Amino acid sequence: MKNVTVVGAQWGDEGKGKVVDLYSLQAKYIVRYQGGNNAGHTLVVNGKKTVLHLIPSGILHPGKVCLIANGVVFDPNVFFEEVEELSAAGVFTGAPYESLRVSERAHVILPYHRLLDRLREERAGDAKIGTTVRGIGPAYEDKVARRGIQVVDLLHPSLLRTKIERAIEEKNILLKHLFDAPPIEFSETYEACVKLGERLKPYITDVRELLADAIRKKSPILFEGAQGTLLDVDHGTYPFVTSSNTVAGGASPGAGVGLGVIDEVIGITKAYTTRVGTGPFPTEIEVTEPEMAAQIRKIGAEYGATTGRPRRVGWLDLPALKYAVEVNGLTGIALMKSDVLQGLETVKLCTGYRLNGKTVQGLPSCVDDLKEVTPVYESLPGWSPIDTGRIKTRSDLPKELQGYIAAIEKFVGAPVVLLSTGPGREETLILRDPFTKN
Ligand code: GDP
């Protein structure tokens, strides 16, 4: 059995939750390695909708161990809310910590991170990034600035006291002089952290060591990326990005495993494109084809799982997908929501960009150039609705959909290994299983 990483190949919301849920059946360990509770996976199991923001979606399968690794910024309050929700749904067969662990080294999101996130976005006006205001960015800032609080600190009250004092001193200067806001209370923050530490204790573990042991025993591991490639802090449409490395390479520092450990990297993409929040989006059709955008949004239920914000909609952007294949080293693509486009007479694929009358190679690095590019489209015939129950192989698909898939594979240079034709587990055509040898 192999170890597999799953990443979003676009701007997030590609349907990673469904793929992780399916792939989790094959894995023993499911690991979140970056991001925080800004993820928001929506899963439909037995017709019931479940949204998880922080806990890996693999938790819905009995006998799996879900790990929140060091690369995640961890909000203990959200964690306990999700644990309670899952407990109420009868998901855990034993004590929750038997199937759910948090790394000692993960950084903690504290109330002041959420406060600063909100104040920054409010102050930015038109230049706001469109964050989920859950404190993710400010928590990563503190991590890199070496004034973060790690999960293990919650178990060491005197170290915790010193660290919180240091962190708050600086925050209060910012609050007073930049935001004209009241200061943060030390004792309130400190006492809440000590209590959270006591409650969290059974879940805290050395995730890296646990994974090293799993690797020795050849237990299959699924690394679950959050957000998407174009939101990566290094490779995304900076500054309209998230604050972590969402690309597959992030799994190595984010979970403490060597690069050679990961055998397959599967990129998830919709059959079209969406984006939440501000930032460039070359194939957006809100202005050029507003009725089509509204139709895709409605049929695809394109509203954020975390924030409820309507998503911006556009055609599939092949240069951007090829970029995702390259920066992640994708060995396969999971093509989602093909049902949303069914019944359309014509579908479009973006096969290039033009800027100032010239053809652009690849994805421009400058955010202003990406905002200005004009997409070049190829029109393909649409496909009729699919009767999922009757589709067993690729050749059972409508020939127009086969043509659409072939055009994607040819352009990006990676095979489509999974086709999703609806939200349910059963509405899936597995073309190649990444966990087995071939
Ligand atoms: P994630 O964050 O990448 O997991 O994406 P979201 O959960 O925000 O969005 C995926 C949404 O699409 C969820 O509501 C899924 O139930 C739904 N979904 C996943 N695959 C398909 C599909 O093939 N067709 C349709 N119609 N919906 C899908």
Side-chain angles (χ1 to χ4, degrees), residues 236-240 279-282 354-356 360 363-374:
T237 49
Y238 193 90
F240 303 100
F281 179 1
R354 288 183 71 76
L355 181 66
N356 303 325
V360 180
L363 196 76
S365 297
C366 173
V367 80
D368 276 353
D369 286 348
L370 197 60
K371 217 187 291 172
E372 293 304 316
V373 293
T374 315

Side-chain angles (χ1 to χ4, degrees), residues 28-71:
K28 168 74 183 163
Y29 294 92
I30 298 111
V31 188
R32 276 281 312 266
Y33 59 87
Q34 48 75 222
N37 53 303
N38 50 348
H41 290 325
T42 314
L43 305 150
V44 180
V45 182
N46 301 330
K48 189 180 175 294
K49 195 166 147 180
T50 309
V51 182
L52 292 175
H53 299 294
L54 179 62
I55 294 177
S57 11
I59 200 73
L60 299 178
H61 298 288
K64 311 292 173 187
V65 181
C66 289
L67 303 172
I68 297 173
N70 58 281

Side-chain angles (χ1 to χ4, degrees), residues 13-17 40-42 311 336-337 339 420-423:
D13 311 316
E14 299 93 346
K16 290 180 296 295
H41 290 325
T42 314
R311 295 174 182 150
M336 314 301 288
K337 293 194 148 186
D339 55 307
S420 178
T421 56

